[in-house]
Amino acid sequence: MNRKFSMNQITPINYSLCGQLNSKDEFVHIKRAFDENVLIFVNKGVLFINSNNKNYSLKENQYILLKAGESHFGWKKSEGYLSYLWVHFRTESEIRTVKDDDLQNSTLDSVYFFPESGELENYTRFSLLFRQMMDISFDEGMYKKKMLDYSLSLLLLELSKDKNTNTPYTKISPLISDVCSWIKANYDSDFTLEELADTFGYQAEYLSSLFRKEIELTIKQYLINIRINIAKNLLSNYGLSTKEVSYSCGFMDEKYFMKVFKKKEGLTPTEYKSAFFKKNIN
């Protein structure tokens, strides 16, 4: 069972330490039980970890929160390259585990509320916030500790926002949910609206109208948002060239990709890469 965690701390979360692990093969997390909480976010590969007597296989863009005082360890060796970000932190009071019958009240009353583990919808934004916090950890100055506390708090708020069940997307119909999943799985393909509609057995005009009504975006806008988010992830985490990113994300025209990226992000892909791409940190 995936536990739901709740924190009602108004003051900034107390940051302790953060970093990134990179392993070429056969990594096994040693058995530990810290007196502080640990948040892990997987960038690449699969992390096999046991927490609270449950085995997890955390894949790319998935996270887990390891509660203070609870033992965790690797239950299996990683296979191939593994990379994940981690941060240790303390809270004013113990993180509460919320029962299913109290979810609604907990969501309303808590500043932070999210499942123990899961996959992030907006993983690019989350990854950027994580890396910005890591950048601050290398700086020096009188405001460093406060900036780290606030950066961590923003990261956990982003996690709460991403996993909050009271979002408009949870109210969409099964059909549009399936359409969204199909688009996410085929974002790098050059498909037409008619081909998409045929896949689900509907007229293009009807499906397009229903999609816009429920998602409040056109299908083209939704697809571009996904492609740009993928592009940001590739630029910030892997340092690929603009041309490589363009084709990887389904843009057949590199100049069009650059134009769309600049319009949505306010930066060219090259400027974005220069601002956010960081070398691996062991």
Side-chain angles (χ1 to χ4, degrees), residues 31-44:
K31 188 172 184 178
R32 291 173 173 170
F34 291 114
D35 61 353
E36 53 190 14
N37 307 289
V38 184
L39 177 65
I40 291 176
F41 175 65
V42 177
N43 285 321
K44 192 74 174 178

Side-chain angles (χ1 to χ4, degrees), residues 186-191 222-232 249-251 257:
N186 295 275
Y187 68 88
D188 56 347
S189 301
D190 186 23
F191 61 88
Y222 183 80
L223 173 61
I224 287 178
N225 285 348
I226 291 175
R227 287 176 170 174
I228 294 299
N229 281 334
I230 297 292
K232 288 160 63 178
C249 296
F251 289 96
F257 164 65

Side-chain angles (χ1 to χ4, degrees), residues 73-87:
F73 60 89
W75 62 272
K76 181 180 177 181
K77 293 181 180 179
S78 63
E79 301 169 357
Y81 184 73
L82 171 67
S83 176
Y84 66 79
L85 307 175
W86 55 266
V87 59

Side-chain angles (χ1 to χ4, degrees), residues 125-172:
R125 179 180 172 85
F126 187 81
S127 178
L128 285 175
L129 290 174
F130 217 131
R131 291 183 179 278
Q132 287 172 348
M133 179 179 64
M134 290 178 63
D135 288 346
I136 296 172
S137 72
F138 293 120
D139 292 339
E140 297 298 335
M142 61 183 296
Y143 295 110
K144 176 180 177 180
K145 181 60 169 68
K146 287 185 177 180
M147 290 178 68
L148 286 168
D149 288 349
Y150 279 104
S151 294
L152 172 60
S153 300
L154 179 59
L155 182 72
L156 293 174
L157 283 171
E158 179 65 27
L159 175 58
S160 298
K161 175 186 174 183
D162 191 280
K163 304 308 295 183
N164 194 322
T165 56
N166 294 323
T167 60
Y169 274 42
T170 61
K171 299 178 181 178
I172 66 175

Side-chain angles (χ1 to χ4, degrees), residues 222-273:
Y222 183 80
L223 173 61
I224 287 178
N225 285 348
I226 291 175
R227 287 176 170 174
I228 294 299
N229 281 334
I230 297 292
K232 288 160 63 178
N233 183 46
L234 294 176
L235 289 166
S236 60
N237 290 325
Y238 302 101
L240 300 180
S241 69
T242 299
K243 184 175 182 179
E244 289 173 318
V245 172
S246 173
Y247 284 96
S248 296
C249 296
F251 289 96
M252 298 300 106
D253 185 333
E254 183 181 351
K255 291 183 178 180
Y256 176 67
F257 164 65
M258 295 171 64
K259 179 181 178 181
V260 172
F261 193 97
K262 177 69 180 291
K263 182 177 180 180
K264 291 190 68 65
E265 301 301 323
L267 298 171
T268 66
T270 301
E271 290 171 337
Y272 188 91
K273 177 182 174 181

